[in-house]
Amino acid sequence: MQWFADAKLGIFIHWGIYSVNGIEESWSFHNKKISYEKYMKQIDGFTANFYNAASWADLIKESGAKYAVITTKHHDGVALYDTKQNDLSLVKKSLAKRDLIAPFVKELRNRNIKVGTYFSLLDWSNKDYPEFLKDSVRYKLKSDTLRWQRFQRFCQNQIQEISTQFNPDLFWFDGDWEHSAEEWQAEKIRKNILVHNPNAIINSRLQGYGDYETPEQNFPVTRPDFKYWELCMTTNNGWGYRFDDTDYKSVDEIISIFTDCIGNGGNLLLDIGPKEDGTIPLQQQNILKELGKWIHQNEEAIYATVAGLPLGHFYGASTLSKDSSTIYLFVSGKNSGDIVIKGLDAKIKKVSVLGTNEILKSKIVGKISWSNVPGLVFIKMPENAGQRMSVVKIELARKLKLYHGKGGY
Ligand code: FHN
């Protein structure tokens, strides 16, 4: 898990037949917004004509991400790789006529970017899968266990194909909510993955047999008490390409969310949705490039750091060096004037702004001679605080010690 904890940023990719009309992935037919037949007809419009796995991998590298997670099969059951378990794949049924996962995996590996494969356990297209539309099931699992076992073999064979063909560093399961760990044979799925690759890590969506938590779109307010966790989030409102969704988060908003994640000890898995032809919407390209520029300038405060000051010590996100002798404060770009740290019980050696040669002044305020409660640390921010978030580096004379008390007399 160490590479995952140090990585901080991953890029999520939702690509599939839903990218043709730019509608909601799988849910649009499941929730009966469109007929299943009409939804599946999109397969005829999927071309991947301009798909260039190398340029995708370059963009991911430029974003500062250390891993990428791509959909190998969403809930609609359409595989993006050459599955032998059925003929429902873009290789066999679409104009793309090629495996779309293998070239991407190769390009990621060439750039030392860790490979994650998204796989939906549920498969609303498979005739042996009980659930189908929001208000209809094909059969009750308990009434036809042989049919469910047939689906289980299909599902586990596809997972095995992904293991052997791509040897992913990370399995990102989804869709586990419709059945129990026992019904999914989750323990067996985990075991088979680790037999093939003992270093593979698995997300939480395997009914309790995963390695890290995956809050989605909902930002934690209190620090999650999971050892490892990752917030997955869209750049606009859709996971896959949406023709009508221009409601993008700004780069500054994404930087703020990203620093909040890493300050609380988690990762951000930021999603993009390429079009059916393999082109990535310009707004998403711009977000990844601008995010990457900011990360590159401040990487010392990002990769291989750990969660920062607990709530109450600093009104913002922060991270710590692993030896806790350095604090990194994330300060909104619009901020000028003082920032304050409370309860810092350690001598400050130097305060600077990352990516610049600015040295900042700090002042201890309110330290009482007869009390061991530390004073407040006021740091004057430069007037010309840049457009993007700044990172204030505080080098301490020794390991960090914090006063958590309620004051006293
Ligand atoms: O149902 C899916 C959804 O389509 C999307 O893939 C997200 C991404 O994490 N996961 C599920 C919803 O939790």
Side-chain angles (χ1 to χ4, degrees):
M1 292 301 292
Q2 196 54 53
W3 74 260
F4 178 80
D6 290 345
K8 309 302 181 192
L9 178 68
I11 299 298
F12 211 172
I13 300 166
H14 276 70
W15 197 26
I17 63 172
Y18 42 86
S19 317
V20 175
N21 294 350
I23 58 174
E24 191 173 11
E25 70 287 348
S26 306
W27 293 97
S28 39
F29 77 79
H30 181 76
N31 290 334
K32 304 173 82 168
K33 291 182 187 160
I34 178 177
S35 72
Y36 176 71
E37 292 67 28
K38 221 167 150 209
Y39 177 92
M40 294 307 285
K41 195 99 186 70
Q42 294 181 98
I43 208 162
D44 300 336
F46 190 97
T47 66
N49 277 341
F50 302 109
Y51 175 45
N52 180 325
S55 63
W56 282 22
D58 285 341
L59 177 63
I60 287 166
K61 184 90 181 171
E62 191 176 351
S63 76
K66 299 293 186 187
Y67 65 105
V69 178
I70 185 166
T71 47
T72 59
K73 186 184 86 170
H74 204 264
H75 312 330
D76 56 20
V78 182
L80 278 74
Y81 73 96
D82 191 15
T83 181
K84 302 294 182 232
Q85 305 311 312
N86 65 9
D87 62 2
L88 188 52
S89 74
L90 295 177
V91 183
K92 296 190 180 88
K93 294 270 188 179
S94 86
L95 298 171
K97 297 208 177 313
R98 59 187 162 127
D99 181 326
L100 302 164
I101 303 297
F104 183 55
V105 167
K106 177 173 155 280
E107 295 300 341
L108 290 177
R109 295 226 188 279
N110 289 346
R111 293 159 179 79
N112 289 321
I113 296 172
K114 295 286 190 183
V115 170
T117 47
Y118 168 110
F119 180 81
S120 172
L121 291 165
L122 69 80
D123 183 327
W124 286 326
S125 282
N126 191 296
K127 296 288 175 278
D128 289 328
Y129 186 71
E131 286 75 21
F132 177 37
L133 303 179
K134 67 175 180 180
D135 55 2
S136 71
V137 291
R138 293 187 180 92
Y139 68 97
K140 291 264 182 241
L141 193 154
K142 302 271 184 261
S143 66
D144 193 342
T145 49
L146 286 179
R147 195 168 171 188
W148 173 252
Q149 283 161 14
R150 211 167 34 238
F151 177 74
Q152 266 309 301
R153 274 195 301 281
F154 162 81
C155 177
Q156 294 184 28
N157 287 346
Q158 285 197 318
I159 295 168
Q160 199 60 17
E161 286 177 330
I162 291 164
S163 270
T164 47
Q165 290 180 31
F166 312 117
N167 192 29
D169 303 291
L170 190 161
F171 273 84
W172 214 95
F173 286 113
D174 207 1
D176 66 337
W177 58 79
E178 288 188 335
H179 294 282
S180 66
E182 192 195 355
E183 288 167 348
W184 285 123
Q185 297 182 7
E187 188 173 8
K188 183 181 169 194
I189 289 174
R190 179 182 176 87
K191 189 171 86 35
N192 290 343
I193 287 170
L194 297 180
V195 159
H196 180 81
N197 176 2
N199 297 319
I201 62 176
I202 299 171
N203 77 337
S204 62
R205 303 185 187 187
L206 187 55
Q207 283 291 336
Y209 284 85
D211 300 304
Y212 71 89
E213 291 303 318
T214 56
E216 172 178 320
Q217 305 279 49
N218 302 311
F219 313 121
V221 175
T222 49
R223 183 168 293 183
D225 51 8
F226 315 122
K227 188 163 169 52
Y228 305 102
W229 62 275
E230 163 202 83
L231 169 74
C232 57
M233 182 182 84
T234 53
T235 45
N236 48 10
N237 298 305
W239 294 101
Y241 169 65
R242 296 292 186 78
F243 74 94
D244 59 351
D245 183 347
T246 55
D247 180 23
Y248 281 96
K249 299 168 181 77
S250 71
V251 173
D252 288 322
E253 288 162 352
I254 287 173
I255 289 171
S256 172
I257 293 163
F258 174 57
T259 54
D260 201 52
C261 277
I262 65 174
N264 277 312
N267 289 7
L268 175 65
L269 184 62
L270 185 62
D271 178 74
I272 57 173
K275 299 178 182 175
E276 60 75 25
D277 63 1
T279 53
I280 296 170
L282 291 178
Q283 301 93 325
Q284 292 178 344
Q285 291 187 47
N286 179 58
I287 283 170
L288 266 53
K289 287 176 180 171
E290 287 301 312
L291 176 59
K293 275 185 214 157
W294 182 85
I295 287 179
H296 183 67
Q297 175 170 331
N298 299 292
E299 60 184 67
E300 176 186 335
I302 297 164
Y303 304 123
T305 57
V306 294
L309 300 176
L311 221 52
H313 290 281
F314 169 63
Y315 293 115
S318 62
T319 54
L320 297 177
S321 59
K322 284 185 177 174
D323 67 1
S324 76
S325 69
T326 306
I327 306 170
Y328 299 99
L329 304 178
F330 297 106
V331 181
S332 153
K334 311 283 177 290
N335 192 317
S336 63
D338 290 341
I339 55 174
V340 185
I341 305 173
K342 295 163 70 177
L344 178 59
D345 188 3
K347 195 169 170 330
I348 289 175
K349 268 191 336 192
K350 183 179 168 189
V351 183
S352 56
V353 178
L354 279 192
T356 75
N357 40 23
E358 290 258 14
I359 302 296
L360 304 184
K361 284 193 178 5
S362 62
K363 180 183 175 189
I364 307 296
V365 173
K367 175 72 180 80
I368 308 297
S369 58
W370 46 262
S371 156
N372 61 4
V373 175
L376 300 176
V377 178
F378 280 72
I379 296 168
K380 188 156 284 316
M381 283 303 287
E383 284 308 313
N384 61 343
Q387 182 222 356
R388 296 267 187 253
M389 183 172 277
S390 317
V391 180
V392 174
K393 174 179 180 178
I394 302 173
E395 295 167 79
L396 303 174
R398 55 173 170 74
K399 278 169 72 96
L400 175 71
K401 238 179 98 195
L402 291 172
Y403 165 76
H404 304 284
K406 294 182 171 58
Y409 61 90

